[in-house]
Amino acid sequence: MGSLPTEQSVLLHAVSVLRGGHVVAFPTETVYGLGADATNAEAVHRIFAAKGRPSTNPLIVHVSDSHIAKRYAKHWPPAAEALARRFWPGPLTLVVPKGDAIVPEVTAGRETVGIRAPDHPVALELLRAFDGPVAAPSANRSNRVSPTTAGHVRRDLGDRVDLILDGGPCRVGIESTVLDLTGLRPVILRPGAVTREQIEAVVGPVEVFQGHMHASDAAHSPGQQVIHYSPRTAAYRFPTGDAALVRRWMDQHADERAIVLLPGSRELSDVDDVASPRVQTVEMPADAEGYARELYAALHEADDSGVSAIFVQMPPDAPQWAAVRDRLMRATRPIDG
């Protein structure tokens, strides 16, 4: 990503806002984050209040590099050092034992904390100038579609944010991979752009968390609830070859309009089977990386279009699509469910 230097006056103001215990929305390569000082409990409470986020859902701490990360981890295992060297700055969050300076509100009371260094010049400028840990979930209302532009943040949070730094559209488009390093074997708690295969090439075999956490329980990581990343509009999913389910829904809702997100590969797309004057089809990229980059923007646009339903044809059940499928499974429900 090219350099996007922040005006010095804006950067200094953002640092002042953070040090004053308030919140700043800023871009990362994944999604926009809503940041506050991770050592200040009152500031962290402002994140939860702005998002309407349950206190059982922990926050990821953002730092400029591994040297800062080590200040705020009680233990920094060799695997963390190796992974940080390989993937930081980048979309990989490492869960390690929490240092005392990180307030428990960040971690849902757990003794572990997720830390990452984002790969975005504006974020890194901010973090270097702040010289400390910034807790930052996605800058949107809780459980809603994550923001990948500053405009998404403004529309969703409005004046709940003290300052928004605009760094353009996010390059990756979905949240980071979260890897727990506190057990006997590393566990992927949330899939993302850094894949299982890439991680295993550095640290050996890893496990993958299956299922979801109940909203009343303290989660190990963000993104573990069964409903997450969801638009306001009713959103449904269907597998390749089952477009008849969309036609049936449209027949049962004769006055309604809908949008259908379809994969760009003609071999996989059911575009002909859902064609209707009341159905708008949106062709998504055929590759997993491109699909991820455009997914949340497409859901935001569909959500703002005034349709009654959003339908998503699920992409292939293949390793490279794991992160996209995870987000879609949490953002939608089966048509006949």
Side-chain angles (χ1 to χ4, degrees):
M1 188 168 190
S3 177
L4 292 171
T6 306
E7 289 186 17
Q8 194 67 17
S9 60
V10 175
L11 183 67
L12 292 175
H13 178 51
V15 171
S16 176
V17 171
L18 289 174
R19 289 180 177 158
H22 296 278
V23 294
V24 173
F26 62 94
T28 77
E29 80 281 25
T30 58
V31 300
Y32 274 70
L34 184 63
D37 181 354
T39 68
N40 182 331
E42 184 178 346
V44 172
H45 278 303
R46 288 193 169 101
I47 292 177
F48 285 93
K51 286 177 62 70
R53 183 184 180 98
S55 60
T56 53
N57 197 358
L59 310 179
I60 289 171
V61 169
H62 294 67
V63 296
S64 57
D65 55 43
S66 61
H67 298 293
I68 304 297
K70 291 173 190 176
R71 289 187 202 166
Y72 299 99
K74 182 165 288 186
H75 174 58
W76 189 252
E81 187 64 24
L83 289 162
R85 280 200 306 267
R86 172 65 180 83
F87 296 110
W88 282 12
L92 177 64
T93 295
L94 303 175
V95 177
V96 295
K98 181 183 81 68
D100 293 339
I102 302 296
V103 296
E105 287 81 1
V106 169
T107 65
R110 290 184 176 274
E111 291 302 312
T112 59
V113 62
I115 307 179
R116 86 176 186 100
D119 188 13
H120 192 291
V122 172
L124 289 174
E125 279 187 279
L126 175 66
L127 292 165
R128 288 168 185 150
F130 182 67
D131 192 32
V134 173
S138 56
N140 57 283
R141 300 291 181 98
S142 185
N143 289 337
R144 294 304 184 193
V145 180
S146 299
T148 55
T149 69
H152 295 159
V153 180
R154 292 187 190 97
R155 286 200 298 273
D156 205 14
L157 292 181
D159 60 5
R160 295 181 178 213
V161 184
D162 297 294
L163 178 66
I164 300 174
L165 297 179
D166 190 343
C170 298
R171 173 173 52 84
V172 173
I174 58 174
E175 297 80 2
S176 62
T177 305
V178 178
L179 182 70
D180 187 350
L181 295 175
T182 62
L184 295 177
R185 178 177 287 188
V187 180
I188 294 175
L189 301 179
R190 180 179 71 186
V194 177
T195 67
R196 178 180 188 173
E197 291 73 19
Q198 289 174 310
I199 293 168
E200 289 185 331
V202 178
V203 296
V206 304
E207 298 177 2
V208 179
F209 173 82
Q210 303 291 339
H212 61 272
M213 300 287 292
H214 192 275
S216 63
D217 296 328
H220 298 275
S221 162
Q224 291 189 305
Q225 289 75 26
V226 66
I227 301 296
H228 210 128
Y229 320 114
S230 57
R232 299 181 304 274
T233 306
Y236 305 92
R237 62 182 178 269
F238 65 97
T240 301
D242 278 2
L245 295 172
V246 178
R247 292 198 305 275
R248 185 176 68 188
W249 191 96
M250 296 303 296
D251 289 342
Q252 293 171 347
H253 300 79
D255 297 324
E256 309 291 359
R257 294 184 302 112
I259 285 178
V260 183
L261 305 188
L262 297 165
S265 171
R266 188 70 187 184
E267 292 75 22
L268 296 175
S269 176
D270 285 341
V271 62
D272 295 330
D273 295 325
V274 298
S276 162
R278 293 185 291 119
V279 176
Q280 176 188 345
T281 59
V282 175
E283 184 176 296
M284 299 293 290
D287 65 293
E289 184 177 329
Y291 194 114
R293 184 168 52 249
E294 296 186 18
L295 172 58
Y296 288 154
L299 289 176
H300 275 287
E301 187 171 347
D303 218 5
D304 293 339
S305 69
V307 297
S308 299
I310 302 168
F311 297 100
V312 181
Q313 182 181 314
M314 291 294 287
D317 188 1
Q320 66 269 30
W321 288 95
V324 169
R325 287 179 60 88
D326 172 80
R327 302 313 190 273
L328 290 175
M329 291 292 288
R330 298 179 195 278
T332 65
R333 59 183 185 269
I335 295 179
D336 54 355

